[in-house]
């Protein structure tokens, strides 16, 4: 199963799709899983399909060997004339994020690097913070400071911080357009033992949060121009080395 390890040097692509009905969400899920099961393109490492829980949608966490391999996939006939045309019929919002793993941390009881697998039953939270490109490094440093105190949080399993490289979105069938300047976002991928543990962490009143957490929260929101998030359950996975 895929691991989130900065030492691997993979290009990570996070395909984020939203829709407006449960039926469309289920179709998004079905189509995404079919894409994963059919992928065998050179340079593709792995894909893990996430089902949105708090909000309707799906997320596909994809690892590529290099950006050149991804660009070749985007230029291919399958992506341009099959995949994108199908997703455009279903989704109300789409964002294809290219990123690099900056750092990752696991709770001491959860392994050395985060693993993504439907067999783990993690409660996954993905946050996307938009930021001015010149402040991206400061935002990453601020978020990373949380690693000092997250390990003491009940239910915490892991957190990974990904440096945004490029954001794209569908322009039309077979076409992608760049969304904003390069390096204008940061992705935080975290794993928890369950909804109850994460909700307890998220809803702690400000005056009861430790000083280190309050400082991190204040700095993070000061650096962020907008934020988006959802909770997910990993439901499907595929990799280049599968049987």
């Amino acid at each position: 199963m895929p691991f989130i390890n900065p030492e691997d040097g993979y290009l990570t692509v996070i395909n984020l799709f939203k829709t407006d009905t449960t039926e469309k969400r289920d179709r998004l899920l079905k189509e995404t899983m079919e894409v994963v099961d059919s992928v065998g393109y050179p340079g593709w490492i792995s894909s893990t399909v996430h089902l949105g829980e708090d909000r309707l949608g799906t997320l596909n966490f994809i690892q590529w060997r290099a950006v050149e391999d991804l660009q070749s996939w985007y230029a291919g006939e399958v992506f341009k004339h099959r995949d994108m045309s199908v997703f455009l019929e279903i989704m109300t919002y789409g964002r294809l994020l290219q990123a690099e793993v900056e750092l990752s941390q696991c709770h001491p009881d959860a392994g050395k690097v985060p693993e993504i697998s439907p067999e783990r039953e993690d409660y996954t939270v993905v946050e996307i913070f938009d930021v001015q490109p010149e402040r991206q490094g400061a935002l990453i440093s601020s978020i990373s400071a949380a690693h000092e105190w997250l390990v003491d949080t009940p239910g915490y399993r892991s957190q990974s911080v990904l440096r945004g490289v490029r954001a794209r979105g569908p322009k039309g069938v077979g076409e992608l357009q760049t969304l904003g300047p390069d390096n204008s976002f940061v992705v935080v991928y975290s794993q928890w033992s369950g909804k109850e543990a994460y909700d307890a962490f998220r809803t702690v009143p400000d005056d009861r949060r430790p000083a280190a957490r309050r400082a991190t929260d204040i700095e993070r929101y000061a650096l962020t121009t907008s934020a988006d998030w959802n909770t997910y359950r990993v439901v499907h996975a595929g990799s280049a080395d599968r049987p």
Side-chain angles (χ1 to χ4, degrees), residues 24-111:
K24 290 181 179 178
R25 189 224 30 210
D26 292 344
R27 189 181 171 201
L28 272 176
L29 181 65
K30 175 178 178 293
E31 296 291 345
T32 303
M33 290 192 297
E34 288 183 358
V35 170
V36 171
D37 289 341
S38 64
V39 167
Y41 204 81
W44 172 71
I45 304 297
S46 71
S47 296
T48 41
V49 183
H50 299 57
L51 178 66
E53 299 206 316
D54 276 79
R55 303 173 186 178
L56 296 174
T58 61
L59 182 147
N60 192 1
F61 189 102
I62 313 165
Q63 295 174 323
W64 288 87
R65 180 179 56 196
V67 66
E68 293 79 12
D69 299 307
L70 173 65
Q71 290 171 341
S72 295
W73 169 253
Y74 282 162
E77 295 299 310
V78 173
F79 176 82
K80 291 197 297 184
H81 299 298
R82 191 274 178 190
D83 295 348
M84 285 308 301
S85 61
V86 170
F87 286 112
L88 282 171
E89 294 177 3
I90 311 170
M91 67 184 182
T92 57
Y93 173 91
R95 200 173 180 192
L96 286 64
L97 305 173
Q98 298 176 32
E100 299 171 349
V101 180
E102 186 74 13
L103 70 161
S104 60
Q105 174 189 263
C106 283
H107 187 279
D109 296 334

Side-chain angles (χ1 to χ4, degrees), residues 153-212:
T153 304
Y156 166 76
R157 289 181 174 176
S158 79
Q159 178 173 280
S160 301
V161 183
L162 294 90
R163 179 186 299 273
V165 176
R166 183 173 295 107
R168 292 185 173 183
K171 183 179 181 181
V173 176
E175 296 182 280
L176 293 175
Q177 60 185 340
T178 299
L179 304 176
D182 291 349
N183 310 323
S184 60
F185 65 94
V186 173
V187 179
V188 178
Y189 185 104
S190 58
Q191 297 170 316
W192 296 79
S193 61
K195 176 177 174 57
E196 183 177 344
Y198 177 69
D199 285 348
F201 163 77
R202 185 172 61 88
T203 58
V204 173
D206 288 346
D207 59 357
R208 293 180 55 192
R209 296 182 180 187

